Amino acid sequence: MRDPRTFDADASGGQSFGDLPEWDLSDLYTAPDAPQLKADLDWFEAEAKAYAADYEGKLDTLDADGMLRAIQRHERLDQVAGRIMSYAGLRYYQETTNGERAKFISDMQDRLTNASTALVFFNLEFNRLEDAFLDGLYEANADLARYRPTLDRLRAMKPHQLSDEMERFLHDASVVGASAWNKLFDETMAALEFTVRDETYGIEGVANLLSEQDRSLREDAAREMARVLSANVRTFARIHNTLAKEKEIEDRWRKLPTPQSARHLANHVEPEVVQALRDAVVAAYPRLSHRYYALKAKWLGLDKLRPWDRNAPLPMEEDRRIQWDEAVETVTTAYAGFDPRMAELAEPFFTKGWIDAPVKPGKAPGAFAHPTVTDAHPYVMLNYLGKPRDVMTLAHELGHGVHQVLAAEQGEWLSSTPLTLAETASVFGEMLTFRALLKAAPDQNARKVLLAGKVEDMINTVVRQIAFYDFECKLHAARREGELTPDDIGALWMSVQAESLGPAVEFMEGFESFWGYIPHFVHSPFYVYAYAFGDSLVNALYAAYEETPEGFQDKYLDMLRAGGSKHHKDLLAPFGLDASDPAFWDKGLGMIEGFIDELEAMD
C-alpha cells in the first residue's frame, strides 16, 4: 500500500500533514474474494428463501413469541446484507474511478437485491395487520414491544403502500433507478479535473482553495470551478431531471401529498415541525447571514463579497496548516473535557483503522461517518487538508461515530437514528471543540477569528442548508410541470442564493451551475434540513448544559445510546426541550445572533 502521505502531497500542493490514517476494512471482510464474504452471500440467498417459505402469508397467524422470532430473523438478514454492502461501498468510496471496485459494488447490490425480493412480502403483510392484533402481541411480549418504534415507522407508510406485485417490481427495478444515477453522479464528480495555476485538483482540492488567504488564488479557483461545472451542467441536469421525475412518479402512485412527505415519514418528524424550522431560519436571514456578510465585507475592505470571499480567512488569521496529530489532540481533548467517556469511545477510530483521512485520486469528496452494522463498528471518511475547518469536520464526523457506537447497543433495527436527530452528536462534537478553542484563545484577535469561523460554519449549516432545502422544494415542484433545462435549474438556484446570502454578496457568471456538485440533492432528496435541525437543536442543548451542567453528561449519553428507539419529543424531554414548539428554533438561532453581536462589538 502506498504511503498515505504520498497521496496527500499529490492532492494538496505538496504539503504533508503527518501520518494520515487509512481504513482497515478487514473487520468487515479481508478481501473481495474472502471465503467469509462468499459464505455470507450464500447464506443470505438461502435464508431469504427459507424466511419467505416460513412466514409469507402467515404473519397474521403468529403469536407474540413467533412474531419476535420472525423479526429477529429478519434483523439478522438485514445485518448480513448491511455488512456486505458496507464493505463494497466503503471500498468504492475510497476509489470511485476504479473499475473493479465499481463492478464489485454493482455485483453485490444486484445479488442482494435479487435475493431480497423474497423478503418484500414482510413489510406489505405486516402493514395489513390490524392495530388491535399488534397491540395484543406487544402486550404479551416485552422483547417484541421493544421493536415498536421501528415497526411504527414502517407502518407510517401503510396508507402509501402499493400492491404486492408493484412493490416487488419497484424493488427489483431499484438497481437501474436512483442507485444507478447516484453512481453516475459519483463517478462524474470523481473524474472532474480543475486546473488552477498549473496544478490539477479534484473537487475537494479546488474547493479548499476558496478559503486561502490569497484573494486572487481564491478567484482563480472559483472561476475554474464555474468553468468545469458549467461544462458538465447538462449531465447534472439530466441526473436531476431523471431522479426528480422518478420520485414524482413513485410519490403519485403512493399518494404522497408532497415531494417532501417521504423524507418526513422516514425522519419520523411532523411536517409542521420542519416548516416551523424553515420559516424561523428564513425570517432570520437578515439578522444572521445578511448582517454577517456585511460585516465580513467591511473586514476585508470590500464593497461587496464575491463567491470566492464568502469563506475567506480574516486578514489577521494565520495561514497555517494543522498537522494531523494536532487535530487529533484538539478534538480528543475537547471531548474528554466534556466527559472522559467520549474520548474513550473516540480512541479506537484513531488507533484501529476506522478513519480514512488523506485526499486521494478518485476518492469520493466530502466527509461522512458510516455506521456499517451493529456487530462491527463505524468508519469515518475525511478529505483532510489541514485547515481549521478540517479540524471541525473531524470533530463533526467523530461525533457521528461516537453516536453510532453507542446506538449499536440497540441492535440492527433500533440503532438507526432519524436524520433530524442523526446530526445531534456531530454538531455537539463541533461545539465542544469550538468552545475549548475559544476558552484557550490567547488574545482578542484569536477570539475574533474563532468566533467568525464558528459563525460561518453555523451559517453554512443552518442558513445554507435551509436555502438548499428551498431549492429542492422549488426544483421538484417545477419538475412536476415539465423537463427543466440547465438554465431553469440555475435560475431556481440563484433565487435562493440571493435571498439567503443577502445584498452584501455579489455573484459571478457561472455561479448558476454550482448546484451541480451538491451530492445530497442526488443521494438523499430533502436530507439537508436535518443539518439545520441538528445545529439549532444542539444550540438549545448546549444552552441547557450551561444552565444546568449537573447530570447533563449522563442524560446526553443516554440520548445517544437510545438510537432510533425514541421519538424526538421523548429524547428531548429530559432536557426540558420540545422541537414542536415554534419558539424552540428561535433559541438555537439566538445563539448565532449572539455570536454576531459579539463580533460587531469587537469593531
Side-chain angles (χ1 to χ4, degrees):
M1 183 179 289
R2 288 176 65 189
D3 188 323
R5 287 167 292 185
T6 306
F7 286 126
D8 182 60
D10 289 347
S12 57
Q15 297 193 56
S16 174
F17 309 114
D19 192 5
L20 297 180
E22 292 187 84
W23 280 333
D24 175 4
L25 299 179
S26 61
D27 287 346
L28 297 172
Y29 297 104
T30 55
D33 58 354
Q36 187 57 51
L37 194 154
K38 181 182 184 304
D40 281 353
L41 272 171
D42 292 343
W43 177 86
F44 184 89
E45 289 171 336
E47 173 63 4
K49 289 178 183 176
Y51 189 89
D54 289 345
Y55 294 114
E56 188 166 10
K58 304 170 188 172
L59 291 187
D60 62 353
T61 69
L62 298 177
D63 61 14
D65 292 344
M67 184 65 77
L68 176 63
R69 284 192 297 272
I71 285 171
Q72 289 173 335
R73 281 180 65 181
H74 202 309
E75 188 174 33
R76 179 60 186 156
L77 281 159
D78 288 348
Q79 192 170 50
V80 170
R83 177 179 285 266
I84 293 167
M85 287 311 301
S86 293
Y87 177 71
L90 293 173
R91 283 186 79 242
Y92 173 71
Y93 285 124
Q94 279 184 303
E95 201 175 336
T96 61
T97 52
N98 182 308
E100 179 274 324
R101 295 187 182 205
K103 172 177 165 51
F104 180 72
I105 188 174
S106 292
D107 287 349
M108 294 301 99
Q109 191 169 37
D110 286 351
R111 280 192 67 176
L112 291 171
T113 299
N114 291 338
S116 60
T117 300
L119 305 175
V120 171
F121 81 89
F122 180 86
N123 288 12
L124 307 176
E125 207 170 302
F126 190 86
N127 276 350
R128 286 197 291 266
L129 298 175
E130 295 294 330
D131 289 342
F133 173 74
L134 284 174
D135 288 342
L137 297 186
Y138 295 143
E139 289 172 10
N141 190 310
D143 290 334
L144 175 63
R146 198 176 70 85
Y147 286 92
R148 184 164 189 163
T150 294
L151 296 170
D152 283 349
R153 284 196 285 274
L154 167 64
R155 284 173 72 80
M157 283 299 290
K158 182 178 179 178
H160 310 292
Q161 192 166 288
L162 303 177
S163 69
D164 291 10
E165 185 176 39
M166 180 63 80
E167 293 287 358
R168 286 192 174 90
F169 169 78
L170 289 173
H171 174 85
D172 288 351
S174 64
V175 294
V176 291
S179 66
W181 290 96
N182 285 186
K183 277 185 277 193
L184 173 62
F185 174 82
D186 290 339
E187 290 163 9
T188 301
M189 286 305 307
L192 293 185
E193 292 187 343
F194 304 82
T195 303
V196 181
R197 300 186 181 180
D198 299 323
E199 292 280 348
T200 300
Y201 302 87
I203 186 65
E204 283 291 337
V206 73
N208 184 61
L209 296 179
L210 298 179
S211 55
E212 291 288 337
Q213 276 285 6
D214 183 345
R215 189 176 191 234
S216 65
L217 177 59
R218 298 198 306 268
E219 179 177 355
D220 288 348
R223 293 196 183 281
E224 176 65 358
M225 283 182 72
R227 183 190 71 80
V228 174
L229 293 173
S230 296
N232 289 273
V233 74
R234 292 176 65 84
T235 299
F236 298 137
R238 172 55 46 222
I239 292 169
H240 283 67
N241 267 292
T242 304
L243 288 172
K245 184 61 179 178
E246 181 191 54
K247 188 175 193 318
E248 184 272 324
I249 293 169
E250 185 168 340
D251 286 351
R252 175 160 35 90
W253 277 77
R254 292 192 182 282
K255 295 182 172 56
L256 286 160
T258 71
Q260 303 86 352
S261 296
R263 177 63 63 199
H264 299 336
L265 287 170
N267 284 344
H268 207 206
V269 65
E270 301 78 10
E272 56 271 20
V273 171
V274 178
Q275 190 64 40
L277 164 65
R278 181 264 172 202
D279 291 347
V281 173
V282 171
Y285 284 169
R287 307 195 307 274
L288 303 180
S289 48
H290 297 187
R291 185 160 64 117
Y292 176 76
Y293 289 132
L295 263 181
K296 186 163 188 178
K298 185 172 70 171
W299 295 335
L300 297 178
L302 302 169
D303 291 331
K304 298 271 189 179
L305 295 180
R306 304 303 298 276
W308 52 84
D309 299 317
R310 201 170 56 80
N311 289 320
L314 300 190
M316 76 287 289
E317 191 168 337
E318 292 182 27
D319 191 16
R320 76 181 186 98
R321 296 298 183 269
I322 299 164
Q323 292 290 295
W324 175 250
D325 287 348
E326 182 184 345
V328 172
E329 176 68 16
T330 298
V331 175
T332 53
T333 300
Y335 275 34
F338 172 71
D339 191 301
R341 291 171 290 181
M342 291 273 286
E344 290 168 14
L345 289 162
E347 191 266 342
F349 284 87
F350 300 109
T351 60
K352 295 187 176 180
W354 297 6
I355 296 179
D356 197 277
V359 177
K360 295 177 271 191
K363 183 177 177 180
F368 62 75
H370 181 49
T372 72
V373 286
T374 54
D375 61 352
H377 57 76
Y379 284 90
V380 164
M381 192 193 83
L382 305 171
N383 278 277
Y384 189 79
L385 288 165
K387 293 288 188 71
R389 280 193 173 89
D390 294 328
V391 180
M392 287 299 178
T393 299
L394 171 61
H396 180 103
E397 300 304 339
L398 200 61
H400 277 308
V402 167
H403 192 177
Q404 290 159 358
V405 168
L406 287 169
E409 299 171 16
Q410 297 290 340
E412 203 64 34
W413 272 24
L414 288 164
S415 62
S416 181
T417 308
L419 289 179
T420 43
L421 295 164
E423 294 299 329
T424 304
S426 54
V427 180
F428 199 84
E430 282 188 76
M431 182 64 79
L432 292 174
T433 304
F434 164 71
R435 293 286 187 174
L437 290 171
L438 194 66
K439 186 176 180 181
D443 54 44
Q444 186 165 351
N445 273 348
R447 185 177 179 86
K448 183 174 183 177
V449 166
L450 285 167
L451 275 170
K454 184 60 177 171
V455 167
E456 288 185 17
D457 286 343
M458 293 169 120
I459 287 173
N460 285 337
T461 304
V462 178
V463 170
R464 191 167 183 249
Q465 301 303 327
I466 289 300
F468 283 179
Y469 176 67
D470 277 356
F471 166 71
E472 284 191 276
C473 292
K474 291 184 175 187
L475 174 74
H476 284 263
R479 182 64 182 92
R480 292 185 174 207
E481 302 302 316
E483 179 87 6
L484 300 174
T485 67
D487 287 345
D488 293 333
I489 301 175
L492 297 176
W493 171 255
M494 294 304 294
S495 71
V496 300
Q497 293 300 299
E499 180 189 21
S500 63
L501 300 183
V505 179
E506 185 177 276
F507 299 102
M508 66 178 186
E509 185 178 353
F511 192 74
E512 63 274 6
S513 64
F514 273 48
W515 54 269
Y517 80 95
I518 310 297
H520 298 89
F521 302 156
V522 175
H523 291 297
S524 307
F526 304 106
Y527 179 110
V528 289
Y529 73 74
Y531 288 112
F533 196 111
D535 194 281
S536 298
L537 187 152
V538 164
N539 290 344
L541 260 184
Y542 201 87
Y545 170 46
E546 290 184 314
E547 289 168 11
T548 314
E550 186 70 28
F552 183 93
Q553 287 88 339
D554 287 339
K555 288 190 289 187
Y556 176 73
L557 292 177
D558 284 345
M559 179 179 71
L560 301 190
R561 200 172 280 115
S565 67
K566 293 181 179 179
H567 187 266
H568 62 78
K569 270 185 173 289
D570 299 321
L571 284 173
L572 294 176
F575 305 97
L577 300 173
D578 182 0
S580 65
D581 177 1
F584 170 83
W585 302 113
D586 290 327
K587 293 179 185 176
L589 298 173
M591 180 176 286
I592 308 175
E593 197 170 354
F595 288 158
I596 299 174
D597 289 343
E598 187 172 346
L599 285 167
E600 277 187 333
M602 289 180 179
D603 278 6

